[in-house]
């Protein structure tokens, strides 16, 4: 059997994903194209280019599969000339109607819109880059760094220099987030003394402990300044924005908990709550029209801050919010909303990472013994009965839940189509996924319907398969600022931090153990 092959697929600007071919490279380019369409959920026609090492890694048209190998980079050139917007990212196949997942583009580049200038374009960087300080400060630091290299002497910065450094760092930090974690403060302080070794603190175990403490105080003061200026992400936590019974600033503090990059953004330039509310009212009418996806998408981007502040400040009931923002409860708009909040494309990332972890997860599951191990084995049985990638993903997600000591059927509930009426009462209270299957149907036929219900409200249906529904449930949690259901707390943590890579440095003990096993 051929060895598994991984390819990097460039779908458009700032949009790429991993393609896994378990049986190795196909024999022909058209077969490779079919694999890409199936795994990436692309409907548009395209041709392939590969990174040609013989010509300085420039992209060249791919005419033979022999020109690529494991871990090659492939670029898609769409016939429509719109590589960034003409593809779908559902990673599913078999779509036959306009509501199914591979019939729409989910990753419209919403962050490049001029109307979203107030939104951040990226999350916390892997490596924090120390900004440039005022010219005179840079001169002083340059001389002090030279003296440190020559004699090892350290600089004792005066109050003016230290203030300038802390101000510059605070401004750089808030470009990424207003509420950094303790470890992120440490990253900044460490980056500072690495860039300017003359600032190391004598007698400190790390050399930057004092800078870390000073940064925390500086950013707290900086947030007070932002609150006075009306920054919504900070202002939402002021006493004037809390209910009367909340007498303490610490009560009901609202800030990013799940690595949201644009948690509570400011209104676009020139817009106000009144003007955006008028756009929202127009949006309700536009959402009812056919073939109007581009207009709706533009209006959803325009009103993102208005919608987000409503979610954060008012925490409306889902039934009310769905009435006010019906366009949000469509798969492609929900994916776009997730990207606005996190800057990460949902479905491409979700499925490429899940598929990438699959073999390792199966190895970890296989070593589990006892009742848990037996239950996992029974859950994985359907994988041996079909070649469907959707069934494989569903089995792995359910087995992951069991491995984390949680029950899959607490969130993913299944019913036969003949028993739907009997489960109606349960559907009115469930938080999660409801799967309707035809009695006697084969695995390859897929479910009759897959529905997501929150607070007793059917928010999405016709989702095609369970893996997509679980991904959309993650998107809904972000879009509606919900807490993870306690019965699937660790499963959702795994989806967020291991699969989506959001806040992946802070893991519970249970997830840290799993991550260590997957890294072996």
């Amino acid at each position: 059997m051929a060895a598994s092959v991984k390819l990097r697929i460039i779908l458009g600007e700032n949009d790429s994903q991993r393609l896994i071919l378990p049986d190795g490279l196909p024999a022909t380019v058209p077969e490779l194209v079919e694999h890409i369409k199936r795994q990436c959920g692309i409907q548009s026609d395209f041709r392939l280019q590969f990174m040609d090492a013989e010509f300085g890694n420039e992209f060249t048209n791919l005419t033979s599969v022999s020109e690529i190998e494991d871990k090659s980079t492939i670029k898609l050139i769409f016939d429509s000339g719109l590589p960034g917007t003409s593809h779908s990212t559902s990673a599913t196949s078999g779509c036959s109607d306009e509501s199914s997942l591979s019939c729409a583009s989910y990753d419209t580049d919403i962050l490049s819109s001029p109307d979203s200038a107030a939104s951040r374009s990226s999350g916390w960087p892997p490596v924090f880059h120390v900004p440039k300080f005022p010219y005179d400060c840079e001169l002083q630091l340059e001389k002090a760094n030279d003296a440190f290299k020559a004699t090892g002497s350290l600089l004792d910065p005066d109050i003016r220099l230290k203030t300038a450094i802390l101000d510059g760092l605070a401004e750089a930090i808030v470009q990424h987030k207003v509420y950094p974690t303790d470890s992120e403060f440490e990253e900044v302080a460490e980056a500072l003394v690495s860039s300017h070794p003359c600032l190391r603190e004598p007698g400190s175990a790390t050399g930057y402990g004092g800078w870390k403490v000073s940064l925390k105080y500086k950013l707290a003061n900086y947030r007070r300044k932002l609150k006075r200026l009306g920054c919504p992400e900070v202002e939402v936590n002021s006493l004037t924005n809390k209910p009367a019974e909340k007498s303490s600033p610490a009560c009901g503090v609202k800030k990013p908990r799940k690595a949201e990059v644009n948690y509570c953004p400011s209104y676009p330039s020139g817009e106000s709550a009144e003007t955006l509310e008028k756009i929202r009212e127009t949006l309700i009418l536009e959402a009812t029209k056919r073939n109007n996806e581009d207009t709706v998408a533009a209006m959803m981007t325009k009103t993102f801050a208005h919608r987000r502040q409503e979610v954060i400040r008012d925490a409306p009931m889902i039934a009310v919010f769905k009435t006010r923002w019906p366009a949000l409860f469509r798969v492609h708009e929900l994916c776009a909303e997730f990207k606005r909040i996190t800057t990460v494309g949902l479905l491409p990332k979700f499925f490429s990472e899940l598929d990438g972890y699959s073999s390792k997860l199966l190895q970890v599951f296989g070593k589990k013994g006892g009742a848990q191990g037996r239950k996992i084995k029974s859950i994985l049985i359907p994988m041996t009965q079909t070649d469907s990638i959707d069934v494989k993903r569903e089995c792995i997600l359910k087995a992951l839940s069991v491995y984390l000591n949680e029950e899959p059927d607490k969130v993913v509930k299944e019913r036969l189509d003949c028993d739907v009426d009997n489960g109606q009462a349960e559907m009115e209270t469930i938080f999660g996924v409801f799967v309707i299957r035809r009695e006697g149907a084969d695995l390859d036929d897929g479910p009759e319907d897959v529905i997501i219900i929150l607070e007793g409200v059917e928010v999405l249906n016709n989702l095609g398969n369970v893996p997509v529904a679980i991904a959309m449930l993650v998107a809904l949690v972000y879009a509606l600022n919900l807490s993870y259901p306690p019965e699937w707390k660790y499963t959702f943590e795994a989806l967020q931090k291991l699969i989506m890579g959001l806040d992946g440095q802070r893991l519970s003990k249970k997830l840290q153990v799993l991550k260590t096993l997957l890294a072996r």
Side-chain angles (χ1 to χ4, degrees):
M1 184 176 179
S4 174
V5 170
K6 295 180 182 178
L7 300 176
R8 177 171 174 257
I9 307 297
I10 299 178
L11 302 169
E13 185 178 0
N14 299 322
D15 189 0
S16 63
Q17 72 179 80
R18 182 165 41 185
L19 177 75
I20 299 176
L21 302 170
D23 299 325
L25 287 170
T28 65
V29 173
E31 289 180 50
L32 178 59
V33 168
E34 289 305 313
H35 277 286
I36 294 173
K37 283 188 174 183
R38 180 173 60 83
Q39 288 198 36
C40 300
I42 298 173
Q43 295 295 303
S44 304
D45 293 329
F46 56 86
R47 55 190 170 88
L48 300 178
Q49 292 187 340
F50 72 103
M51 191 176 285
D52 195 341
E54 295 184 9
F55 293 94
N57 285 333
E58 294 290 333
F59 283 99
T60 306
N61 288 340
L62 180 67
T63 58
S64 172
V65 176
S66 62
E67 294 171 320
I68 59 175
E69 56 186 14
D70 185 30
K71 297 184 179 179
S72 290
T73 297
I74 305 294
K75 184 177 182 180
L76 273 57
I77 306 298
F78 288 84
D79 292 347
S80 63
L82 297 173
T85 59
S86 61
H87 66 278
S88 163
T89 54
S90 69
T92 62
S93 57
C95 172
S96 60
D97 61 87
E98 63 179 1
S99 64
S100 57
L101 300 179
S102 58
C103 295
S105 172
Y106 303 137
D107 284 320
T108 305
D109 187 8
I110 51 92
L111 293 174
S112 62
S113 167
D115 291 330
S116 60
S119 300
R120 299 186 181 97
S121 59
S122 63
W124 190 261
V127 178
F128 186 87
H129 294 285
V130 176
K132 288 290 184 182
F133 302 116
Y135 182 68
D136 59 325
C137 297
E138 287 288 342
L139 283 178
Q140 190 174 349
L141 289 172
E142 183 179 351
K143 290 183 178 180
N145 285 328
D146 290 341
F148 175 81
K149 292 177 183 177
T151 64
S153 60
L154 297 172
L155 174 66
D156 183 14
D158 57 36
I159 187 64
R160 182 180 174 280
L161 176 59
K162 186 171 183 178
T163 299
I165 291 172
L166 293 173
D167 284 342
L169 291 174
E171 291 179 9
I173 288 171
V174 298
Q175 296 300 315
H176 304 291
K177 56 168 57 178
V178 177
Y179 293 98
T181 63
D182 182 79
S183 61
E184 287 163 347
F185 276 117
E186 187 158 344
E187 286 180 34
V188 177
E190 185 178 9
L192 175 65
V193 299
S194 296
S195 299
H196 302 289
C198 64
L199 295 175
R200 292 185 66 86
E201 299 165 332
S204 170
T206 60
Y208 52 78
W211 284 107
K212 176 182 172 182
V213 173
S214 297
L215 270 172
K216 288 185 175 183
Y217 281 108
K218 171 59 69 172
L219 205 65
N221 292 329
Y222 197 82
R223 282 195 292 265
R224 294 191 187 98
K225 178 180 178 182
L226 294 177
K227 183 175 71 174
R228 290 195 299 270
L229 294 172
C231 174
E233 194 170 3
V234 180
E235 192 180 27
V236 72
N237 291 317
S238 65
L239 279 174
T240 56
N241 286 287
K242 295 180 184 293
E245 64 272 13
K246 302 292 187 180
S247 58
S248 168
C251 290
V253 173
K254 299 175 182 178
K255 59 183 181 180
R257 300 292 186 186
K258 298 184 287 292
E260 298 95 336
V261 176
N262 293 303
Y263 181 70
C264 190
S266 304
Y267 292 141
S269 178
E271 300 291 348
S272 65
E274 291 73 20
T275 60
L276 293 175
E277 179 63 16
K278 291 179 180 179
I279 296 175
R280 183 199 67 79
E281 293 172 356
T282 305
L283 176 59
I284 294 178
L285 297 176
E286 293 293 332
T288 63
K289 300 177 182 178
R290 292 186 177 182
N291 303 319
N292 202 29
E293 290 81 5
D294 291 343
T295 300
V296 170
M299 296 176 76
M300 288 292 287
T301 299
K302 185 86 169 180
T303 55
F304 170 57
H306 185 48
R307 182 170 55 257
R308 192 67 188 162
Q309 290 194 33
E310 180 179 332
V311 167
I312 301 301
R313 293 177 186 272
D314 302 334
M317 297 293 290
I318 290 174
V320 174
F321 194 72
K322 185 179 179 183
T323 302
R324 286 179 52 80
W325 300 95
L328 178 65
F329 296 89
R330 300 175 177 179
V331 170
H332 54 286
E333 283 302 336
L334 197 54
C335 287
E337 190 83 348
F338 182 85
K339 190 170 185 179
R340 294 181 189 108
I341 296 169
T342 66
T343 74
V344 176
L346 174 63
L347 294 177
K349 178 81 170 180
F350 187 88
F351 288 117
S352 64
E353 292 299 316
L354 179 62
D355 292 343
Y357 276 120
S358 290
S359 59
K360 283 283 189 180
L361 283 170
L362 290 173
Q363 291 177 19
V364 172
F365 296 158
K367 296 177 182 178
K368 195 70 174 177
Q372 247 184 341
R374 290 191 295 272
K375 188 168 184 178
I376 288 174
K377 288 178 181 177
S378 67
I379 288 175
L380 297 178
I381 287 176
M383 290 177 53
T384 64
Q385 301 171 346
T386 178
D387 293 329
S388 170
I389 185 67
D390 297 329
V391 172
K392 179 181 179 182
R393 289 167 175 166
E394 179 180 346
C395 291
I396 289 174
L397 287 169
K398 289 181 176 179
L400 175 62
S401 173
V402 174
Y403 184 85
L404 296 172
N405 293 317
E406 296 174 335
E407 295 294 331
D409 56 8
K410 292 290 186 180
V411 170
V412 181
K413 297 183 180 290
E414 303 206 10
R415 291 288 182 275
L416 295 177
D417 52 0
C418 58
D419 292 333
V420 172
D421 293 339
N422 296 331
Q424 193 64 39
E426 186 179 26
M427 291 176 68
E428 292 176 358
T429 59
I430 191 176
F431 178 108
V433 179
F434 219 89
V435 185
I436 312 299
R437 299 191 187 274
R438 292 191 304 276
E439 188 173 7
D442 293 332
L443 284 173
D444 292 330
D445 294 337
E448 182 77 9
D449 197 1
V450 181
I451 303 167
I452 292 180
I453 297 177
L454 302 177
E455 295 181 1
V457 177
E458 183 179 308
V459 294
L460 288 171
N461 57 24
N462 294 326
L463 292 176
N465 59 71
V466 172
V468 169
I470 292 176
M472 299 315 301
L473 198 55
V474 172
L476 283 163
V477 167
Y478 275 81
L480 303 176
N481 195 37
L482 304 175
S483 299
Y484 290 142
E487 57 267 23
W488 253 36
K489 171 185 174 182
Y490 291 109
T491 303
F492 274 107
E493 182 187 358
L495 298 179
Q496 174 200 321
K497 298 183 177 183
L498 293 184
I499 302 300
M500 296 304 299
L502 296 171
D503 198 20
Q505 303 305 313
R506 296 194 302 167
L507 300 173
S508 63
K509 291 182 179 179
K510 190 175 291 189
L511 265 295
Q512 187 61 61
V513 170
L514 177 58
K515 184 178 180 181
T516 302
L517 293 174
L518 294 175
R520 289 180 180 175

